[in-house]
Amino acid sequence: MLGGTADARALASLLHAAGAVFISSLAGRTAAPLMPEGEVRIGGFGGVAGLRDYVRAEGIGVIADCTHPFAAMISANAYAAAGETGARYVRLERPAWEPVAGDKWLRVPCIGAAADALLPGSRVLLTTGVKDLPAFFSRPDIGGVARMIGEPSVAVPPDWRLVQERPPFSVDAELALMRDEKISVLVTKNAGGIARQKLDAARELGVQVVMVSRPVKAGREVAESAEAMFAILKAGN
Ligand SMILES: NC(=O)c1ccc[n+]([C@@H]2O[C@H](COP(=O)([O-])OP(=O)(O)OC[C@H]3O[C@@H](n4cnc5c(N)ncnc54)[C@H](OP(=O)(O)O)[C@@H]3O)[C@@H](O)[C@H]2O)c1
């Protein structure tokens, strides 16, 4: 199971409780990751070839891809490795968020487009993750709050404040943060799932949302939840 998400941890708990034989894999990006139940390995495989060799060496029959919707490289590698080894490839992908009445969304195709879309003087709540900081920090005409779990590898400009916190965040906390920091734009990836609090807060305050669309991933078998994925794996066909 390729993990690094709450959905992957939920699936690991279900599999563990059912006595299934499985190995969770984490990229090893965060210093203190939340650990799933059961056996865990940590670190990259070394591209498609490395993953293919790992699948063969461990006698893996199913690659359950439960990575984040924006982790495009590992999913592409997993799909290719499955093709090369004959392992079954199943993906867990929670439904994307859709706007509701009152939302002010601008959909953009990628992080670069999100940074380009921001008007000079914008006060931004940036929630897209450490990898994406340079695209925004290189704009001298914007500032705000960058929220993330990991450590940034770039210097934080004076107009930006860093918040290193792990979700979930309540709607009240999101409202307070947006109000206190005079946020005018929320920049977020369309991670999907139930954690819509920042979107609810943005709607209430009339804050513009720049929503980065998901990359397209391969694979025919897709489950929308840990429970649905568990049912697919349990059925085993
Ligand atoms: N991207 C996000 O917004 C986001 C948000 C929350 C959590 N995550 C989690 O963080 C991890 C890294 O995300 P990313 O966007 O940096 O991935 P990525 O760009 O798709 O993958 C980059 C490389 O990291 C390694 N890798 C990624 N996930 C792995 C896993 N579960 N087990 C072993 N190696 C893995 C692979 O290295 P090799 O080529 O060497 O095998 C992969 O080629 C993922 O597991 C993902 O579920 C990502």
Side-chain angles (χ1 to χ4, degrees), residues 34-99:
L34 297 177
M35 295 297 277
E37 287 186 74
E39 186 177 345
V40 180
R41 66 162 300 286
I42 298 181
F45 296 95
V48 177
L51 183 52
R52 177 197 62 209
D53 293 347
Y54 179 85
V55 166
R56 285 197 179 127
E58 294 289 337
I60 304 287
V62 181
I63 301 177
D65 180 358
C66 304
T67 57
H68 192 271
F70 282 81
M73 179 65 79
I74 186 67
S75 291
N77 290 354
Y79 184 73
E84 289 188 26
T85 58
R88 182 179 176 194
Y89 175 83
V90 192
R91 191 151 53 77
L92 195 165
E93 185 173 288
R94 49 193 155 146
W97 290 318
E98 291 298 333

Side-chain angles (χ1 to χ4, degrees), residues 62-181:
V62 181
I63 301 177
D65 180 358
C66 304
T67 57
H68 192 271
F70 282 81
M73 179 65 79
I74 186 67
S75 291
N77 290 354
Y79 184 73
E84 289 188 26
T85 58
R88 182 179 176 194
Y89 175 83
V90 192
R91 191 151 53 77
L92 195 165
E93 185 173 288
R94 49 193 155 146
W97 290 318
E98 291 298 333
V100 300
D103 279 339
K104 286 170 35 181
W105 280 25
L106 175 68
R107 293 185 200 253
V108 293
C110 61
I111 287 293
D116 289 347
L118 298 173
L119 296 173
S122 293
R123 288 283 303 165
V124 182
L125 174 55
L126 179 63
T127 64
T128 59
V130 281
K131 279 200 299 191
D132 306 321
L133 295 177
F136 299 89
F137 285 2
S138 61
R139 288 263 317 251
D141 55 343
I142 61 173
V145 175
R147 185 167 69 195
M148 67 206 62
I149 297 171
E151 284 290 331
S153 55
V154 291
V156 181
D159 287 340
W160 286 89
R161 186 166 81 80
L162 216 60
V163 173
Q164 286 174 285
E165 283 175 9
R166 206 186 275 279
F169 307 103
S170 68
V171 177
D172 284 346
E174 299 289 38
L175 284 168
L177 177 65
M178 289 183 196
R179 279 199 188 107
D180 292 350
E181 297 285 348

